[in-house]
Amino acid sequence: MASLKRVEHKSGRVVYRIVICMGYDKQGNKLVKNLTYSVNQSATPKQQEKEALKYAMDMEDKIKYGYDFDAEKMSFEDFAYKWLESVKDNIAYGTYTNYQHFLESRIIPYFKGFKLAHIKTPHIEAFLKTLVDDYSAGTIRGYANVLSGIFKTAKRWSMIDNNPCQDARKPKKVQEEQDIKFFTPEQSLMFLKSLNMSYVVTCKGHERVDDTGKPYYVKEYTETCTVPTQYKVFFNLSLFCGFRKGETLALHWDDIDFSNKEISIAKSVGKTESGFDYKEPKTQTSIRTVPFPEEAIALLKQYHIEYIQERFRHGTAWQGDLEHGGNIFIQSDGKRMGHTTPYQYFVKHLHRYNEWVKSNPVKAKAEGLEELPIIPLHGLRHSCATLLNYLEVNIIDISKILGHSTPSTTMNIYAHSFEEQKRVASNKIDEFLRKNA
């Protein structure tokens, strides 16, 4: 990080002395670059400091990563890789590998041979159209975001005047699929009921091997299945607390404060250089304490008892983490639950429930149950935001519960899903006016 020192000359002119560390030589001596920057003399001291800091950061990037060159001469490919290296330390490893994949799979092959300064908005739009037949709307937005990030950086470093991605129109497919997928408040209640139901499952005939190694055939049979308690807990926390999947998988029993009905989020599970492991949460505001409803206490305590019983049943064969009370969500031997497991079970459960509704229409209608949309697991987090808005929780509190950096982030994500709640509010006004007419 560059260091700044404000210097005021006798004439009243203000400049900033800037020192940028460029690393160390073989003898361990610090290598520095000294700069002097003259700020806007009519600005306030705070504005001058902000101006000097921006200049220092830009110059540090240029000097440290070698970006002090002409965009007319630099190839897009060279700049893209240098950009990727520059952002590596500020993003999660999984995000970094995703960016790398986006660049190497489609972006660089398409723009190979282009000079950075020669790429214009029509080129961006033409590239995005090539993705429509191969990728979902979400993936196409990912490609667009990487491109925009590259050109934002080039503009910030004064290499180009405009970001060609800024006014680029996304393909019609992307525009039509902007909606996030979630349960409505009514569907959320149905989903919670579905977790406590029993389902008759048909198991197809298959071969097995006995203890002596001799194979034998098992005929088709049916069995009654219920949702294991740990999945009930996982889905309840996702719906009521709005946790991200990685945040939920990282939970330990010590993170739960039963007395105050709160859960502490201070870590996450995600892709790292060593595989899927613990890492810092997505942002600093993701580190938070989230309250959970009274109704969830009994379920959590029930699962804790089952967890302890399972642990003692395994004895020394238990492979789980014993620190901080142990991982809450586990495999059969106590190890932390795999990162794909909750999604796989979630989708299987939704299909199983919908089959039950179709097979038992009269009973389902009597119990107020309908088929549920097949949403992604992250849709439970979206459902949480929608439910909180429906219950008239203010946007600032919703933002804090979800761990967003600002309330505007929450509004940008959920503006469309909150539209339905606006209509509910409008209906309440109509009802009020009719009563008082």
Side-chain angles (χ1 to χ4, degrees), residues 108-185:
I108 286 177
Y110 185 89
F111 291 105
K112 201 173 186 69
F114 277 82
K115 298 300 182 184
L116 181 67
H118 296 172
I119 297 175
K120 306 299 180 184
T121 299
H123 296 127
I124 302 297
E125 293 179 343
F127 167 72
L128 294 177
K129 286 181 181 178
T130 68
L131 306 176
V132 170
D133 293 335
D134 299 325
Y135 299 109
S136 68
T139 302
I140 294 173
R141 284 195 293 274
Y143 277 100
N145 290 340
V146 168
L147 275 171
S148 185
I150 291 171
F151 287 105
K152 277 182 182 178
T153 300
K155 182 182 177 183
R156 184 165 67 86
W157 290 336
S158 301
M159 295 179 67
I160 57 176
D161 294 328
N162 299 295
N163 177 357
C165 299
Q166 185 172 341
D167 296 319
R169 294 181 180 177
K170 293 183 176 66
K172 186 177 180 181
K173 175 181 177 180
V174 181
Q175 295 171 358
E176 291 175 348
E177 295 183 20
Q178 287 286 334
D179 295 350
I180 58 176
K181 296 180 180 179
F182 60 94
F183 291 146
T184 65

Coordinates of all heavy atoms in Angstrom, one line a residue, residues 108-185:
I108 N -10.9 -14.9 -24.6 CA -9.6 -14.6 -25.3 C -9.6 -15.2 -26.7 O -9.2 -14.6 -27.7 CB -8.5 -15.2 -24.4 CG1 -8.2 -14.2 -23.3 CG2 -7.2 -15.3 -25.3 CD1 -7.2 -14.6 -22.3
P109 N -10.2 -16.5 -26.9 CA -10.2 -17.0 -28.3 C -11.0 -16.0 -29.2 O -10.6 -15.9 -30.4 CB -10.9 -18.3 -28.1 CG -10.6 -18.8 -26.8 CD -10.6 -17.5 -25.9
Y110 N -12.1 -15.4 -28.7 CA -12.9 -14.5 -29.6 C -12.1 -13.2 -29.9 O -12.1 -12.7 -31.0 CB -14.2 -14.2 -28.9 CG -15.1 -13.4 -29.8 CD1 -16.0 -14.1 -30.7 CD2 -15.1 -12.0 -29.8 CE1 -16.9 -13.3 -31.5 CE2 -16.0 -11.3 -30.6 CZ -16.9 -11.9 -31.4 OH -17.7 -11.2 -32.2
F111 N -11.5 -12.6 -28.9 CA -10.9 -11.3 -29.0 C -9.4 -11.4 -29.3 O -8.7 -10.4 -29.3 CB -11.1 -10.5 -27.8 CG -12.5 -10.0 -27.6 CD1 -13.3 -10.7 -26.6 CD2 -13.1 -9.0 -28.4 CE1 -14.7 -10.3 -26.5 CE2 -14.4 -8.6 -28.2 CZ -15.2 -9.3 -27.3
K112 N -8.9 -12.6 -29.6 CA -7.5 -12.8 -29.9 C -7.1 -11.9 -31.2 O -7.8 -12.0 -32.2 CB -7.1 -14.2 -30.2 CG -5.7 -14.6 -30.0 CD -5.5 -16.1 -30.1 CE -4.1 -16.5 -29.8 NZ -3.7 -16.3 -28.4
G113 N -6.1 -11.1 -31.1 CA -5.7 -10.3 -32.2 C -6.2 -8.9 -32.1 O -5.7 -8.0 -32.8
F114 N -7.2 -8.6 -31.2 CA -7.7 -7.3 -31.0 C -6.7 -6.5 -30.1 O -6.1 -7.0 -29.2 CB -9.0 -7.3 -30.3 CG -10.2 -7.5 -31.2 CD1 -10.6 -8.8 -31.6 CD2 -11.0 -6.4 -31.6 CE1 -11.7 -9.0 -32.4 CE2 -12.1 -6.6 -32.5 CZ -12.4 -7.9 -32.8
K115 N -6.5 -5.2 -30.4 CA -5.9 -4.3 -29.5 C -6.9 -3.8 -28.5 O -8.1 -3.7 -28.8 CB -5.3 -3.1 -30.3 CG -4.2 -3.4 -31.3 CD -3.0 -4.1 -30.7 CE -2.0 -4.5 -31.7 NZ -0.8 -5.2 -31.1
L116 N -6.5 -3.6 -27.3 CA -7.4 -3.2 -26.2 C -8.2 -2.0 -26.6 O -9.4 -2.0 -26.4 CB -6.6 -2.9 -25.0 CG -7.4 -2.5 -23.7 CD1 -8.2 -3.7 -23.2 CD2 -6.5 -2.1 -22.6
A117 N -7.6 -1.0 -27.2 CA -8.3 0.2 -27.5 C -9.3 0.1 -28.7 O -10.1 1.0 -28.9 CB -7.3 1.4 -27.8
H118 N -9.2 -1.0 -29.4 CA -10.0 -1.1 -30.7 C -11.3 -1.8 -30.4 O -12.1 -2.0 -31.4 CB -9.2 -1.8 -31.7 CG -8.0 -1.0 -32.2 ND1 -7.0 -1.5 -33.0 CD2 -7.6 0.3 -31.9 CE1 -6.1 -0.5 -33.2 NE2 -6.4 0.5 -32.5
I119 N -11.5 -2.4 -29.2 CA -12.8 -3.1 -29.0 C -13.9 -2.1 -28.6 O -13.7 -1.3 -27.7 CB -12.6 -4.1 -27.8 CG1 -11.5 -5.2 -28.3 CG2 -13.9 -4.8 -27.5 CD1 -11.2 -6.2 -27.2
K120 N -15.0 -2.2 -29.3 CA -16.1 -1.2 -29.1 C -17.3 -2.0 -28.7 O -17.4 -3.2 -28.7 CB -16.3 -0.4 -30.4 CG -15.1 0.3 -31.0 CD -14.5 1.3 -30.0 CE -13.3 2.0 -30.6 NZ -12.7 2.9 -29.6
T121 N -18.4 -1.2 -28.4 CA -19.6 -1.8 -27.9 C -20.2 -2.9 -28.9 O -20.6 -3.9 -28.4 CB -20.7 -0.7 -27.7 OG1 -20.2 0.1 -26.6 CG2 -22.0 -1.3 -27.2
P122 N -20.2 -2.6 -30.2 CA -20.8 -3.7 -31.1 C -20.0 -5.0 -31.0 O -20.6 -6.1 -31.2 CB -20.6 -3.0 -32.5 CG -20.7 -1.6 -32.2 CD -19.9 -1.4 -30.9
H123 N -18.7 -4.9 -30.8 CA -17.9 -6.1 -30.6 C -18.3 -6.9 -29.4 O -18.4 -8.2 -29.4 CB -16.4 -5.8 -30.5 CG -15.8 -5.2 -31.7 ND1 -15.1 -4.0 -31.6 CD2 -15.8 -5.5 -33.0 CE1 -14.7 -3.6 -32.8 NE2 -15.1 -4.5 -33.7
I124 N -18.6 -6.2 -28.3 CA -19.1 -6.9 -27.1 C -20.4 -7.5 -27.3 O -20.7 -8.7 -26.9 CB -19.2 -5.8 -25.9 CG1 -17.9 -5.2 -25.7 CG2 -19.7 -6.5 -24.7 CD1 -16.8 -6.1 -25.2
E125 N -21.4 -6.8 -28.0 CA -22.7 -7.4 -28.2 C -22.6 -8.6 -29.1 O -23.3 -9.6 -28.9 CB -23.6 -6.3 -28.9 CG -23.9 -5.2 -27.9 CD -24.8 -4.1 -28.5 OE1 -24.9 -4.1 -29.8 OE2 -25.4 -3.3 -27.8
A126 N -21.7 -8.5 -30.1 CA -21.6 -9.7 -31.0 C -21.0 -10.9 -30.3 O -21.5 -12.0 -30.6 CB -20.6 -9.3 -32.2
F127 N -20.1 -10.7 -29.4 CA -19.5 -11.8 -28.6 C -20.6 -12.4 -27.8 O -20.7 -13.7 -27.7 CB -18.4 -11.3 -27.7 CG -18.0 -12.3 -26.7 CD1 -17.3 -13.4 -27.1 CD2 -18.3 -12.1 -25.4 CE1 -16.9 -14.4 -26.1 CE2 -17.9 -13.0 -24.4 CZ -17.2 -14.2 -24.8
L128 N -21.4 -11.6 -27.1 CA -22.4 -12.2 -26.2 C -23.4 -13.0 -26.9 O -23.9 -14.0 -26.4 CB -23.1 -11.0 -25.4 CG -22.2 -10.3 -24.4 CD1 -23.0 -9.1 -23.8 CD2 -21.7 -11.2 -23.3
K129 N -23.7 -12.6 -28.2 CA -24.7 -13.4 -29.0 C -24.1 -14.8 -29.3 O -24.9 -15.7 -29.5 CB -25.0 -12.7 -30.3 CG -25.9 -11.5 -30.1 CD -26.2 -10.8 -31.4 CE -27.1 -9.5 -31.2 NZ -27.3 -8.8 -32.5
T130 N -22.8 -14.9 -29.3 CA -22.2 -16.3 -29.6 C -22.4 -17.2 -28.5 O -22.2 -18.4 -28.7 CB -20.7 -16.2 -30.0 OG1 -20.0 -15.8 -28.8 CG2 -20.4 -15.1 -31.0
L131 N -22.8 -16.7 -27.3 CA -22.9 -17.6 -26.1 C -24.3 -18.2 -25.9 O -24.5 -19.1 -25.2 CB -22.5 -16.8 -24.9 CG -21.2 -16.1 -24.9 CD1 -21.0 -15.3 -23.6 CD2 -20.0 -17.1 -25.0
V132 N -25.3 -17.6 -26.6 CA -26.7 -17.9 -26.4 C -27.1 -19.3 -26.5 O -27.8 -19.9 -25.7 CB -27.6 -17.0 -27.3 CG1 -29.1 -17.5 -27.2 CG2 -27.5 -15.5 -26.9
D133 N -26.6 -20.0 -27.5 CA -26.9 -21.4 -27.7 C -26.2 -22.4 -26.8 O -26.6 -23.5 -26.7 CB -26.6 -21.8 -29.2 CG -27.5 -21.0 -30.2 OD1 -28.6 -20.6 -29.8 OD2 -27.1 -20.9 -31.3
D134 N -25.2 -21.9 -26.1 CA -24.4 -22.8 -25.3 C -24.5 -22.7 -23.8 O -24.2 -23.6 -23.0 CB -22.9 -22.7 -25.7 CG -22.6 -23.0 -27.1 OD1 -23.2 -23.9 -27.7 OD2 -21.7 -22.3 -27.7
Y135 N -25.0 -21.5 -23.4 CA -25.0 -21.2 -21.9 C -26.3 -20.7 -21.4 O -27.1 -20.1 -22.2 CB -23.9 -20.2 -21.6 CG -22.5 -20.7 -21.9 CD1 -21.8 -20.2 -23.0 CD2 -21.9 -21.7 -21.2 CE1 -20.5 -20.6 -23.3 CE2 -20.6 -22.2 -21.5 CZ -19.9 -21.6 -22.6 OH -18.7 -22.0 -22.9
S136 N -26.5 -20.8 -20.1 CA -27.7 -20.2 -19.5 C -27.5 -18.7 -19.4 O -26.4 -18.1 -19.6 CB -27.8 -20.8 -18.1 OG -26.8 -20.3 -17.2
A137 N -28.6 -18.0 -19.0 CA -28.6 -16.6 -18.9 C -27.6 -16.2 -17.8 O -26.9 -15.2 -17.9 CB -30.0 -16.0 -18.6
G138 N -27.6 -16.9 -16.7 CA -26.7 -16.6 -15.6 C -25.2 -16.7 -16.0 O -24.4 -15.8 -15.6
T139 N -24.9 -17.7 -16.8 CA -23.5 -17.9 -17.2 C -23.1 -16.8 -18.2 O -22.0 -16.2 -18.1 CB -23.3 -19.2 -17.9 OG1 -23.6 -20.3 -17.0 CG2 -21.8 -19.4 -18.4
I140 N -24.0 -16.4 -19.1 CA -23.7 -15.3 -20.0 C -23.5 -14.0 -19.2 O -22.6 -13.2 -19.6 CB -24.9 -15.1 -21.0 CG1 -25.0 -16.4 -21.9 CG2 -24.7 -13.9 -21.9 CD1 -26.2 -16.4 -22.8
R141 N -24.3 -13.8 -18.2 CA -24.0 -12.6 -17.3 C -22.6 -12.6 -16.7 O -22.0 -11.6 -16.5 CB -25.1 -12.5 -16.2 CG -26.4 -12.0 -16.8 CD -27.3 -11.5 -15.6 NE -27.7 -12.6 -14.8 CZ -28.8 -13.4 -15.0 NH1 -29.5 -13.2 -16.1 NH2 -29.1 -14.4 -14.2
G142 N -22.2 -13.9 -16.4 CA -20.8 -14.0 -15.8 C -19.8 -13.6 -16.8 O -18.8 -12.9 -16.5
Y143 N -19.9 -14.0 -18.1 CA -19.0 -13.6 -19.1 C -19.0 -12.1 -19.3 O -18.0 -11.4 -19.4 CB -19.3 -14.2 -20.4 CG -18.8 -15.6 -20.6 CD1 -19.6 -16.8 -20.4 CD2 -17.5 -15.8 -21.0 CE1 -19.1 -18.0 -20.5 CE2 -16.9 -17.1 -21.1 CZ -17.8 -18.2 -20.9 OH -17.2 -19.5 -21.0
A144 N -20.2 -11.5 -19.3 CA -20.4 -10.0 -19.4 C -19.7 -9.3 -18.3 O -19.1 -8.2 -18.5 CB -21.8 -9.7 -19.5
N145 N -19.8 -9.8 -17.1 CA -19.2 -9.2 -15.9 C -17.7 -9.2 -15.9 O -17.1 -8.2 -15.5 CB -19.7 -9.9 -14.6 CG -21.2 -9.6 -14.3 OD1 -21.8 -8.6 -14.8 ND2 -21.8 -10.5 -13.5
V146 N -17.1 -10.3 -16.4 CA -15.7 -10.4 -16.5 C -15.2 -9.3 -17.5 O -14.2 -8.6 -17.3 CB -15.2 -11.8 -16.9 CG1 -13.8 -11.8 -17.3 CG2 -15.5 -12.7 -15.8
L147 N -15.8 -9.3 -18.7 CA -15.5 -8.3 -19.7 C -15.6 -6.9 -19.2 O -14.7 -6.0 -19.4 CB -16.3 -8.4 -20.9 CG -15.9 -9.5 -22.0 CD1 -17.0 -9.7 -23.0 CD2 -14.6 -9.1 -22.6
S148 N -16.7 -6.6 -18.5 CA -16.9 -5.3 -17.9 C -15.8 -4.9 -16.9 O -15.3 -3.8 -16.9 CB -18.2 -5.1 -17.3 OG -18.5 -3.8 -16.9
G149 N -15.4 -5.9 -16.1 CA -14.4 -5.7 -15.1 C -13.0 -5.3 -15.8 O -12.3 -4.5 -15.3
I150 N -12.7 -6.0 -16.9 CA -11.5 -5.7 -17.6 C -11.4 -4.3 -18.1 O -10.5 -3.5 -17.9 CB -11.3 -6.7 -18.7 CG1 -11.1 -8.1 -18.2 CG2 -10.2 -6.3 -19.7 CD1 -11.1 -9.2 -19.3
F151 N -12.5 -3.9 -18.7 CA -12.6 -2.5 -19.3 C -12.8 -1.4 -18.3 O -12.3 -0.3 -18.5 CB -13.6 -2.5 -20.4 CG -13.3 -3.2 -21.7 CD1 -13.8 -4.4 -21.9 CD2 -12.3 -2.7 -22.5 CE1 -13.5 -5.2 -23.1 CE2 -11.9 -3.4 -23.7 CZ -12.5 -4.6 -23.9
K152 N -13.4 -1.7 -17.2 CA -13.5 -0.8 -16.1 C -12.1 -0.4 -15.6 O -11.7 0.7 -15.3 CB -14.3 -1.3 -14.9 CG -15.8 -1.1 -15.1 CD -16.6 -1.7 -13.9 CE -18.1 -1.6 -14.1 NZ -18.8 -2.2 -12.9
T153 N -11.3 -1.5 -15.4 CA -9.9 -1.3 -15.0 C -9.1 -0.5 -16.0 O -8.3 0.4 -15.6 CB -9.2 -2.7 -14.7 OG1 -10.0 -3.4 -13.7 CG2 -7.8 -2.5 -14.2
A154 N -9.2 -0.8 -17.2 CA -8.5 -0.1 -18.3 C -8.9 1.4 -18.3 O -8.0 2.3 -18.5 CB -8.8 -0.7 -19.6
K155 N -10.2 1.7 -18.0 CA -10.6 3.1 -18.0 C -10.1 3.8 -16.7 O -9.7 4.9 -16.8 CB -12.2 3.1 -18.0 CG -12.7 4.5 -18.0 CD -14.2 4.5 -18.0 CE -14.8 6.0 -17.9 NZ -16.2 6.0 -17.8
R156 N -10.1 3.0 -15.6 CA -9.6 3.6 -14.3 C -8.2 4.0 -14.4 O -7.7 5.0 -13.8 CB -9.9 2.6 -13.2 CG -9.5 3.2 -11.8 CD -10.1 2.3 -10.7 NE -9.5 1.0 -10.7 CZ -8.4 0.7 -10.0 NH1 -7.7 1.6 -9.4 NH2 -8.0 -0.6 -10.0
W157 N -7.4 3.2 -15.2 CA -6.0 3.5 -15.4 C -5.7 4.5 -16.5 O -4.6 4.6 -17.0 CB -5.2 2.2 -15.6 CG -5.2 1.4 -14.4 CD1 -5.3 1.8 -13.1 CD2 -5.0 -0.1 -14.3 NE1 -5.2 0.7 -12.2 CE2 -5.0 -0.4 -12.9 CE3 -4.8 -1.1 -15.3 CZ2 -4.8 -1.7 -12.5 CZ3 -4.6 -2.4 -14.8 CH2 -4.6 -2.7 -13.5
S158 N -6.8 5.0 -17.1 CA -6.7 6.0 -18.1 C -6.1 5.5 -19.4 O -5.5 6.2 -20.2 CB -5.9 7.3 -17.7 OG -6.5 7.8 -16.5
M159 N -6.3 4.2 -19.7 CA -5.8 3.6 -20.9 C -6.9 3.7 -22.0 O -6.5 3.7 -23.2 CB -5.5 2.1 -20.6 CG -4.4 1.9 -19.7 SD -4.0 0.2 -19.4 CE -3.4 -0.4 -21.0
I160 N -8.1 3.8 -21.6 CA -9.2 4.0 -22.6 C -10.2 5.1 -22.0 O -10.2 5.3 -20.8 CB -10.0 2.7 -22.9 CG1 -10.6 2.1 -21.6 CG2 -9.1 1.7 -23.6 CD1 -11.4 0.9 -21.8
D161 N -10.9 5.7 -22.9 CA -11.8 6.8 -22.4 C -13.2 6.2 -22.0 O -13.8 6.8 -21.1 CB -12.0 7.8 -23.6 CG -10.8 8.5 -23.9 OD1 -10.0 8.8 -23.0 OD2 -10.6 8.9 -25.1
N162 N -13.6 5.1 -22.6 CA -15.0 4.6 -22.3 C -14.9 3.1 -22.2 O -14.1 2.4 -22.8 CB -16.0 5.0 -23.4 CG -16.1 6.5 -23.5 OD1 -16.6 7.1 -22.6 ND2 -15.7 7.0 -24.7
N163 N -15.8 2.6 -21.3 CA -16.0 1.1 -21.1 C -17.0 0.7 -22.2 O -18.2 1.0 -22.1 CB -16.5 0.8 -19.7 CG -16.7 -0.6 -19.5 OD1 -16.6 -1.5 -20.4 ND2 -17.1 -1.0 -18.3
P164 N -16.6 -0.1 -23.2 CA -17.5 -0.5 -24.2 C -18.6 -1.5 -23.8 O -19.6 -1.7 -24.5 CB -16.6 -1.3 -25.2 CG -15.4 -1.7 -24.4 CD -15.2 -0.7 -23.4
C165 N -18.5 -2.0 -22.5 CA -19.5 -2.9 -22.0 C -20.7 -2.1 -21.4 O -21.7 -2.7 -21.2 CB -18.9 -3.8 -20.9 SG -17.6 -4.9 -21.5
Q166 N -20.4 -0.8 -21.1 CA -21.4 -0.1 -20.3 C -22.7 0.0 -20.9 O -23.8 -0.2 -20.3 CB -20.8 1.3 -20.0 CG -21.7 2.2 -19.1 CD -21.1 3.5 -18.7 OE1 -19.9 3.7 -18.9 NE2 -21.9 4.4 -18.3
D167 N -22.8 0.3 -22.3 CA -24.0 0.4 -23.0 C -24.4 -0.8 -23.8 O -25.3 -0.8 -24.6 CB -24.0 1.7 -23.8 CG -23.9 2.9 -23.0 OD1 -24.5 3.0 -21.9 OD2 -23.1 3.8 -23.4
A168 N -23.6 -1.9 -23.7 CA -23.8 -3.1 -24.5 C -25.1 -3.8 -24.1 O -25.4 -4.0 -22.9 CB -22.7 -4.0 -24.4
R169 N -25.9 -4.1 -25.1 CA -27.2 -4.8 -24.8 C -27.0 -6.3 -24.7 O -26.3 -6.9 -25.6 CB -28.2 -4.5 -25.9 CG -28.7 -3.0 -25.9 CD -29.7 -2.8 -27.0 NE -30.1 -1.4 -27.0 CZ -31.0 -0.9 -27.9 NH1 -31.5 -1.7 -28.9 NH2 -31.3 0.4 -27.8
K170 N -27.5 -6.9 -23.7 CA -27.4 -8.4 -23.6 C -28.4 -9.0 -24.5 O -29.4 -8.5 -24.9 CB -27.6 -8.8 -22.1 CG -26.5 -8.3 -21.2 CD -26.8 -8.9 -19.8 CE -25.7 -8.5 -18.8 NZ -25.6 -7.0 -18.6
P171 N -28.1 -10.3 -25.0 CA -29.0 -11.0 -25.9 C -30.4 -11.1 -25.3 O -30.5 -11.1 -24.1 CB -28.3 -12.4 -26.0 CG -26.9 -12.1 -25.7 CD -26.9 -11.0 -24.7
K172 N -31.4 -11.3 -26.1 CA -32.8 -11.3 -25.7 C -33.0 -12.4 -24.7 O -33.7 -12.3 -23.7 CB -33.7 -11.6 -26.9 CG -35.2 -11.5 -26.6 CD -36.0 -11.7 -27.8 CE -37.5 -11.6 -27.4 NZ -38.3 -11.8 -28.6
K173 N -32.3 -13.6 -24.8 CA -32.4 -14.7 -23.9 C -32.1 -14.3 -22.5 O -32.8 -14.6 -21.5 CB -31.5 -15.8 -24.3 CG -31.5 -17.0 -23.4 CD -30.6 -18.1 -23.9 CE -30.5 -19.3 -22.9 NZ -29.6 -20.4 -23.3
V174 N -31.0 -13.5 -22.4 CA -30.6 -13.1 -21.0 C -31.6 -12.1 -20.4 O -31.9 -12.1 -19.3 CB -29.2 -12.4 -21.1 CG1 -28.7 -12.0 -19.7 CG2 -28.2 -13.4 -21.7
Q175 N -32.1 -11.2 -21.3 CA -33.0 -10.2 -20.8 C -34.3 -10.8 -20.3 O -34.9 -10.4 -19.4 CB -33.4 -9.2 -22.0 CG -32.2 -8.3 -22.4 CD -32.4 -7.5 -23.6 OE1 -33.5 -7.6 -24.2 NE2 -31.5 -6.8 -24.1
E176 N -34.7 -11.9 -21.0 CA -35.9 -12.6 -20.6 C -35.8 -13.5 -19.4 O -36.8 -13.8 -18.7 CB -36.4 -13.5 -21.8 CG -36.9 -12.7 -23.0 CD -37.2 -13.6 -24.2 OE1 -36.9 -14.8 -24.1 OE2 -37.8 -13.1 -25.1
E177 N -34.5 -13.9 -19.0 CA -34.3 -14.8 -17.9 C -33.7 -14.1 -16.7 O -33.0 -14.7 -15.9 CB -33.5 -15.9 -18.3 CG -34.1 -16.8 -19.4 CD -33.3 -18.0 -19.8 OE1 -32.4 -18.4 -19.0 OE2 -33.5 -18.6 -20.8
Q178 N -33.9 -12.8 -16.5 CA -33.3 -12.0 -15.5 C -33.8 -12.4 -14.1 O -33.2 -12.2 -13.1 CB -33.5 -10.5 -15.7 CG -32.6 -9.9 -16.8 CD -31.2 -9.8 -16.4 OE1 -30.8 -9.7 -15.2 NE2 -30.3 -9.9 -17.4
D179 N -35.1 -12.9 -14.0 CA -35.7 -13.2 -12.8 C -35.0 -14.2 -11.9 O -34.6 -15.2 -12.4 CB -37.2 -13.6 -13.0 CG -38.1 -12.6 -13.6 OD1 -37.6 -11.4 -13.7 OD2 -39.2 -12.9 -14.0
I180 N -34.8 -13.9 -10.6 CA -34.3 -14.9 -9.7 C -35.4 -15.9 -9.4 O -36.6 -15.6 -9.4 CB -33.7 -14.2 -8.5 CG1 -34.8 -13.4 -7.8 CG2 -32.5 -13.4 -8.8 CD1 -34.3 -12.8 -6.5
K181 N -35.0 -17.1 -9.0 CA -36.0 -18.1 -8.7 C -36.1 -18.3 -7.1 O -35.1 -18.4 -6.5 CB -35.6 -19.4 -9.3 CG -35.6 -19.3 -10.9 CD -35.2 -20.6 -11.5 CE -35.3 -20.5 -13.1 NZ -34.9 -21.7 -13.7
F182 N -37.3 -18.3 -6.6 CA -37.5 -18.4 -5.2 C -38.9 -18.9 -4.9 O -39.8 -19.0 -5.8 CB -37.3 -17.0 -4.6 CG -38.3 -16.0 -5.1 CD1 -39.5 -15.7 -4.5 CD2 -38.0 -15.3 -6.3 CE1 -40.4 -14.8 -5.0 CE2 -38.9 -14.3 -6.8 CZ -40.1 -14.1 -6.1
F183 N -39.2 -19.2 -3.7 CA -40.5 -19.6 -3.2 C -41.3 -18.3 -2.8 O -40.7 -17.4 -2.1 CB -40.5 -20.5 -2.0 CG -40.0 -21.9 -2.4 CD1 -39.3 -22.7 -1.4 CD2 -40.3 -22.5 -3.6 CE1 -38.9 -23.9 -1.7 CE2 -39.8 -23.8 -3.9 CZ -39.1 -24.5 -2.9
T184 N -42.5 -18.2 -3.1 CA -43.3 -17.1 -2.5 C -43.5 -17.5 -1.1 O -43.3 -18.6 -0.6 CB -44.7 -17.0 -3.2 OG1 -45.4 -18.3 -3.0 CG2 -44.5 -16.8 -4.7
P185 N -44.0 -16.5 -0.2 CA -44.3 -16.8 1.2 C -45.2 -18.0 1.4 O -45.0 -18.9 2.2 CB -44.9 -15.5 1.7 CG -44.3 -14.5 0.9 CD -44.1 -15.0 -0.5

